[in-house]
Amino acid sequence: MADMDCKGCREGYRVTEAQMQRLLATSAFAPDKRVDAETYERRLEACRACSKLEDGRTCRSCGCIMPVVAWLRDRACPLPGQRRWDSEP
């Protein structure tokens, strides 16, 4: 059976910094939907310490681009049974 990497983990597909910035500028990432910068950095530190983080950006547990998702107030670490950070009220 072939290795089933997530789309973002495949060599032929990489989300660029410009694409991430365009996404962060959308209404889905409005200030009221984001955590503060300190919480964001704590979340990313927890991700960087995780063996599931690929290329410093992509979570192999869920396929999300963590430098984008970590901003969202209502998101939590997707690692089953081993969350490294929780959603914010």
Side-chain angles (χ1 to χ4, degrees):
M1 183 175 202
D3 184 19
M4 300 301 290
D5 284 337
C6 68
K7 184 177 181 179
C9 297
R10 292 184 201 148
E11 193 59 39
Y13 183 87
R14 291 285 183 240
V15 175
T16 67
E17 185 66 30
Q19 288 169 319
M20 285 194 289
Q21 292 307 314
R22 277 196 304 274
L23 181 57
L24 290 170
T26 67
S27 61
F29 292 88
D32 64 323
K33 295 178 182 176
R34 289 184 180 209
V35 295
D36 60 44
E38 184 178 317
T39 300
Y40 173 74
E41 287 302 324
R42 261 195 327 268
R43 287 177 171 191
L44 285 186
E45 268 310 303
C47 290
R48 288 182 195 114
C50 182
S51 64
K52 295 289 186 181
L53 190 65
E54 180 77 27
D55 71 12
R57 298 184 338 173
T58 307
C59 176
R60 287 185 287 148
S61 185
C62 68
C64 292
I65 306 298
M66 297 317 292
V68 172
V69 171
W71 277 113
L72 292 171
R73 182 178 301 280
D74 65 350
R75 291 295 299 266
C77 170
L79 194 58
Q82 300 176 34
R83 278 195 181 153
R84 294 178 175 266
W85 46 271
D86 290 312
S87 60
E88 299 284 316

